[in-house]
Amino acid sequence: MVAFGALFLVIGLVLAGVSVSFLMNAERARGTVVALEWRDDPDHVSGRKRVDDGPVAYPVVEFTPAHGTPRKFRNSTGSNPPSYEVGERVEVLYHADSPEDARINGFASLWLLPLIFGGIGLLTAGIGTGVALATRARRRVL
C-alpha cells in the first residue's frame, strides 16, 4: 500500500513539474471559446459508463499566436456543468514553437491531474504507513 501510494505521489509530482515547465516556457494570448464539444466520457478505469455521469462539455477555443495564423484547440479538461460559455474570453497558454500545444490558463487545465494523483498518493501512503506502524507497535507489545 505504501509503494502504491508512493507511485501515485511520484506521478503527481511529475505532472506538477510538467505544468510548471509549461507555465515557465509558455507564451500568452487572448482566446475566445467558440464552441462546447459535448462528449459522453466513459469510465477510464473500467471502460463502462457510470450511471450518474452525463455528457461533459469541453471548450473549443480559438486564438491567434503572436506570429501566426488563428488556431483552434479543444481543451483537455471538460466539466458538467460547463466551466466556460461560448463567446467567453480566456487566456491561452501555448508554446511558440508548437502553438497546437495550447491550454486555457485555468486551475483545472494545469493543476487538476497533479492534485488528484498527489492526493491519492499521499492518502494511500499515509494510511499504509499508519497501518505498518500500528502493526509494528502491536508486535512489540506482544
Side-chain angles (χ1 to χ4, degrees), residues 5-136:
L7 174 65
F8 267 66
L9 184 57
V10 167
I11 291 170
L13 290 172
V14 168
L15 290 172
V18 168
S19 287
V20 168
S21 175
F22 184 83
L23 280 169
M24 292 179 65
N25 299 314
E27 300 287 328
R28 298 174 191 280
R30 297 297 299 164
T32 303
V33 177
V34 295
L36 294 175
E37 187 177 303
W38 289 89
R39 302 175 92 194
D40 287 322
D41 279 355
D43 181 352
H44 297 291
V45 176
S46 67
R48 297 175 304 184
K49 265 186 68 97
R50 294 178 292 212
V51 175
D52 60 346
D53 283 355
V56 176
Y58 290 85
V60 176
V61 178
E62 184 173 56
F63 75 103
T64 303
H67 302 293
T69 57
R71 299 206 179 246
K72 284 184 186 177
F73 71 95
R74 181 179 59 87
N75 201 47
S76 61
T77 306
S79 63
N80 188 356
S83 299
Y84 300 95
E85 295 179 7
V86 173
E88 185 173 344
R89 303 276 293 166
V90 294
E91 184 176 43
V92 175
L93 302 172
Y94 67 95
H95 285 196
D97 56 343
S98 59
E100 63 278 355
D101 183 18
R103 300 180 196 174
I104 293 175
N105 186 7
F107 179 80
S109 298
L110 297 169
W111 305 111
L112 186 61
L113 281 178
L115 283 175
I116 289 172
F117 277 93
I120 290 171
L122 279 174
L123 183 65
T124 306
I127 290 171
T129 301
V131 168
L133 292 175
T135 302
R136 181 182 287 173

